[in-house]
Amino acid sequence: MCWKLRGVFLSVLLLLSISLAAVSDAFSTSSPPPAGSVAITVPPHYDSDVSPMGNPYPSPLHTIHVQPLLTAEEAAKSLELAREHAHVTKCWDAKDSERHAAYATVDFPIEECESLAGYLEGIDFHDRILTRLGEAYGLEFDDMTYLDFFCANYETKDEMAKTERITMDRLAPHRDGSLVSYTVLLSPPDNFTGGGTSFDALRDVRITAEHGGVLHPNGVVRPNHAGDCCLHSGKLLHGADPVTSGQRTVLVAFIEVAEWCQRPETLALACRDFGRMDVASYRLRRQERMTKGKANDEEDGDTSTPAPGWILNNSRWLSKSAIRGYAPAFETVLRRGEAEFQRQKKLQAEDILLRDILLKEDERPD
């Protein structure tokens, strides 16, 4: 009898270990995406098959995923709880510039709304969304940490004008502090027009039937159903397209990826390249301000069009050999400060970043 019980016990342990192994391998085994999913891969912008570090295009981070996540009932209940909290606390009546200083948004942290936080826990929301992120980008649960999780609300300017509330209908292009991010649409799409997440890297992409109706002009990704999620790298330049009628409410999260999954210095190199373009833009704007109305062609007497340059006068310091007059901006300054040149250079840096920053699984420490 003792041996029989021992055999049963060992059989249970074996089945349990097999089940746990299947769960732990969920991220390493590529499972098919849910029905109705759409994957959009941003085009290459770096003019080489491989990055300077030797990594090919595309990486997993080049792909934006739009997938069903919540049921219509779950999305509706989440929206109801969010609106109740916003009505009581008035948190959607003004932009929050303390939590998001650079890009103030109309939102509230999920942790401050116990009813919504508890409901999401009850429907295993975090397990479901992190599983999707892991499958999309080759990550495990232990590789991901929440930096921020909040509920944001967008509404048309016409609605704002009717009240004294200071809300938002859009969000300027930016990059998140996290490597991966997600957005979950709570509002039914027929409750608003416009809106969606705009990606600069998708701006020139030709829309086809393969995009499943979620990709719109100017690189705007707009899910088709309430409860759908949009997964993407936070380092892709993105913003919120203007809502032109109604209200659009979304759950948003910034998910940091563990340092053991990231290639050192990759982000620093990208920031260096982004910063160089910002400096070039600032230099041109400063020269435009310094021109003070000087003309493109003073010799012809044409003073109608100011030209970027410098008004030189160092007589304050070198009175005996003073240099005075107008000096036009160098061609390189004009070219590097031009908007489309800036955009392409930043897209190149973004492309390299996406290729290089994630270590392959066999490159990560055990």
Side-chain angles (χ1 to χ4, degrees):
M1 182 70 179
C2 180
W3 284 103
K4 289 183 179 180
L5 289 174
R6 183 180 180 187
V8 171
F9 179 69
L10 290 174
S11 298
V12 171
L13 282 180
L14 179 60
L15 289 173
L16 182 59
S17 64
I18 292 173
S19 300
L20 290 174
V23 172
S24 65
D25 289 342
F27 293 112
S28 58
T29 303
S30 180
S31 59
S37 299
V38 176
I40 307 171
T41 301
V42 302
H45 290 92
Y46 181 64
D47 190 20
S48 178
D49 292 337
V50 296
S51 70
M53 292 186 179
N55 295 302
Y57 164 90
S59 75
L61 293 175
H62 280 88
T63 301
I64 300 163
H65 300 268
V66 180
Q67 302 177 351
L69 180 72
L70 302 179
T71 65
E73 292 75 18
E74 290 170 338
K77 183 61 177 179
S78 299
L79 179 61
E80 176 188 341
L81 295 173
R83 285 178 170 171
E84 288 176 356
H85 177 78
H87 176 73
V88 172
T89 63
K90 309 299 182 184
C91 59
W92 284 352
D93 289 358
K95 295 181 180 180
D96 186 347
S97 57
E98 294 183 4
R99 293 179 55 251
H100 301 138
Y103 296 90
T105 54
V106 176
D107 63 30
F108 64 82
I110 300 299
E111 62 187 14
E112 292 184 0
C113 179
E114 293 184 4
S115 59
L116 180 55
Y119 178 73
L120 294 176
E121 287 287 346
I123 61 174
D124 295 324
F125 172 84
H126 298 291
D127 286 346
R128 291 156 68 181
I129 190 69
L130 291 179
T131 297
R132 298 289 180 82
L133 281 169
E135 292 174 345
Y137 301 118
L139 301 168
E140 299 184 7
F141 269 97
D142 290 343
D143 299 333
M144 295 178 283
T145 305
Y146 272 89
L147 290 182
D148 201 359
F149 184 35
F150 55 95
C151 183
N153 187 65
Y154 300 84
E155 58 185 280
T156 179
K157 288 184 176 180
D158 293 340
E159 292 295 324
M160 300 182 221
K162 298 175 184 178
T163 66
E164 296 182 356
R165 298 160 60 241
I166 304 174
T167 59
M168 65 179 182
D169 65 341
R170 71 192 75 192
L171 190 61
H174 61 281
R175 303 182 201 275
D176 297 336
S178 58
L179 186 56
V180 293
S181 303
Y182 69 74
T183 301
V184 180
L185 179 64
L186 298 183
S187 303
D190 56 3
N191 283 10
F192 63 92
T193 56
T197 307
S198 59
F199 294 91
D200 189 45
L202 296 177
R203 206 168 78 185
D204 304 320
V205 171
R206 185 173 66 88
I207 300 172
T208 68
E210 293 181 356
H211 296 132
V214 302
L215 181 60
H216 298 263
N218 296 316
V220 176
V221 173
R222 195 175 296 145
N224 293 325
H225 307 98
D228 287 359
C229 62
C230 177
L231 318 176
H232 63 90
S233 171
K235 301 311 178 188
L236 282 166
L237 186 66
H238 64 284
D241 204 49
V243 170
T244 54
S245 69
Q247 289 187 331
R248 172 178 174 261
T249 304
V250 291
L251 299 175
V252 183
F254 303 150
I255 306 295
E256 188 50 283
V257 174
E259 62 180 13
W260 57 79
C261 296
Q262 300 187 43
R263 183 169 282 105
E265 299 184 3
T266 304
L267 182 57
L269 291 173
C271 291
R272 177 202 64 187
D273 293 337
F274 294 147
R276 284 175 173 173
M277 287 299 98
D278 291 339
V279 170
S281 177
Y282 173 78
R283 181 178 181 183
L284 178 59
R285 292 199 308 271
R286 186 164 183 263
Q287 291 196 10
E288 288 173 340
R289 291 196 301 269
M290 292 289 291
T291 301
K292 298 180 181 177
K294 285 292 180 179
N296 280 325
D297 191 354
E298 286 188 328
E299 293 181 0
D300 293 339
D302 180 6
T303 59
S304 59
T305 307
W310 300 99
I311 302 300
L312 302 176
N313 186 355
N314 65 357
S315 58
R316 177 178 177 183
W317 298 277
L318 300 172
S319 57
K320 294 183 178 179
S321 59
I323 299 176
R324 297 182 180 87
Y326 166 71
F330 295 127
E331 288 187 11
T332 54
V333 173
L334 297 174
R335 179 171 58 87
R336 288 171 60 81
E338 196 268 332
E340 186 58 24
F341 179 90
Q342 291 255 322
R343 175 174 176 258
Q344 292 301 325
K345 285 294 184 181
K346 289 183 177 181
L347 286 172
Q348 288 177 20
E350 180 180 272
D351 186 359
I352 294 172
L353 171 64
L354 298 180
R355 297 189 198 195
D356 288 343
I357 194 165
L358 264 187
L359 291 169
K360 299 179 179 64
E361 290 188 26
D362 58 1
E363 297 175 325
R364 300 173 191 173
D366 294 333

